[in-house]
Amino acid sequence: MFCFAFACQVIRSYHGHLSAVYGISLHPTIDVLVTCGRDATGRVWDMRTKACIHTLTGHTDTVSSVICQAADPQVITASHDSTIRLWDLAAGKTRVTLTNHKKSVRAICVHPNEFSFASASPDNIKQWKFPDGNFLQNLTGHNAIVNTLSCNADGVLVSGADNGTMNLWDYRTGYNFQRMQAVAQPGSLDSETGIYASAFDLSGCRLLTCEADKTIKVYKEDDTATEETHPISWRPEILKRKRY
């Protein structure tokens, strides 16, 4: 792993992972970064000294995603072993292991305001409450391999998948209010529509995606949308929330 200056020059190298590095996250309040990879570990690095402070072990397969936050648990990892782990950063040990998913977990994202997060797997998308990882609800309907999750402050959760589908959800209710299909750029194969990464800009109004057709796309809100052009047909299902 490398750090680059603005002139694209390597200024630091962090060595320790035994295989490909799949994810990276900067801690918001201290000079620490956390990486994860195919060696089934997460590693906590001191950014200045390049020292590996902790090796986060416990996963049994590729660790696909990692997120840092200021409040405990400060590190969250998701893995292809179908589990999510919440870590004690000071001790470098697992606080909680979530085993509700039945298939590999490829993406996680934290809500900007609420003390909760979402995780994505081919079985479904799940929401959890910090600090103990209490299960909140399932978001079902995105029947694909979900590679990325993003959430803005307005509670819009976006899931992007291998087949180019992108679902937009209301974070609080779990309602899937819009479904989209990415279109491959001219010259690309129809199969090259996979969405690999996504992020909202600081305004939360624009969504950026990295896609298999070698493009980075920017989506914005439809200013012409009305209740008539985009009707919402949704009723709260009191009994829909499962306990697993």
Side-chain angles (χ1 to χ4, degrees):
M1 185 179 61
F2 305 95
C3 285
F4 291 87
F6 288 108
C8 295
Q9 178 182 0
V10 178
I11 57 174
R12 287 190 182 91
S13 299
Y14 300 81
H15 300 282
H17 277 288
L18 304 178
S19 192
V21 180
Y22 275 36
I24 186 170
S25 181
L26 290 171
H27 196 284
T29 58
I30 57 177
D31 289 331
V32 159
L33 64 87
V34 184
T35 57
C36 64
R38 203 164 59 190
D39 58 3
T41 68
R43 293 179 185 266
V44 182
W45 308 87
D46 185 316
M47 291 187 63
R48 298 184 220 181
T49 66
K50 301 184 292 184
C52 181
I53 304 169
H54 294 301
T55 299
L56 308 178
T57 59
H59 285 295
T60 58
D61 204 342
T62 298
V63 183
S64 56
S65 185
V66 60
I67 288 181
C68 293
Q69 61 177 7
D72 289 327
Q74 297 183 55
V75 179
I76 307 98
T77 56
S79 172
H80 289 185
D81 65 7
S82 306
T83 68
I84 300 164
R85 287 177 180 259
L86 313 182
W87 299 87
D88 182 334
L89 180 59
K93 296 181 179 180
T94 302
R95 291 184 51 174
V96 180
T97 302
L98 307 176
T99 60
N100 301 48
H101 281 291
K102 304 308 177 188
K103 296 184 179 180
S104 62
V105 186
R106 293 180 175 235
I108 49 177
C109 77
V110 174
H111 192 285
N113 299 327
E114 297 183 12
F115 200 41
S116 63
F117 73 103
S119 60
S121 173
D123 52 10
N124 51 39
I125 299 169
K126 296 180 184 291
Q127 291 179 342
W128 315 85
K129 187 71 175 176
F130 289 127
D132 298 321
N134 297 323
F135 175 74
L136 294 176
Q137 65 177 344
N138 283 324
L139 281 62
T140 58
H142 202 166
N143 301 317
I145 299 175
V146 178
N147 293 320
T148 179
L149 289 175
S150 296
C151 186
N152 68 8
D154 293 328
V156 176
L157 177 69
V158 178
S159 56
D162 249 5
N163 59 1
T165 56
M166 188 162 60
N167 286 10
L168 280 71
W169 312 78
D170 177 61
Y171 188 91
R172 185 176 63 85
T173 63
Y175 173 62
N176 182 197
F177 63 86
Q178 186 174 357
R179 300 185 181 188
M180 304 173 64
Q181 174 67 52
V183 178
Q185 70 170 335
S188 298
L189 301 175
D190 290 338
S191 60
E192 293 181 327
T193 57
I195 301 172
Y196 292 145
S198 64
F200 280 99
D201 69 356
L202 293 179
S203 71
C205 297
R206 287 177 171 79
L207 176 73
L208 294 84
T209 60
C210 302
E211 305 188 7
D213 63 351
K214 302 174 285 293
T215 64
I216 299 169
K217 294 186 175 73
V218 181
Y219 297 84
K220 76 178 187 71
E221 296 177 358
D222 186 354
D223 298 329
T224 63
T226 64
E227 294 182 1
E228 289 73 24
T229 60
H230 294 75
I232 295 177
S233 177
W234 175 75
R235 291 181 181 178
E237 299 176 24
I238 298 175
L239 300 178
K240 78 171 183 176
R241 298 189 179 183
K242 298 181 180 180
R243 295 184 179 180
Y244 57 86

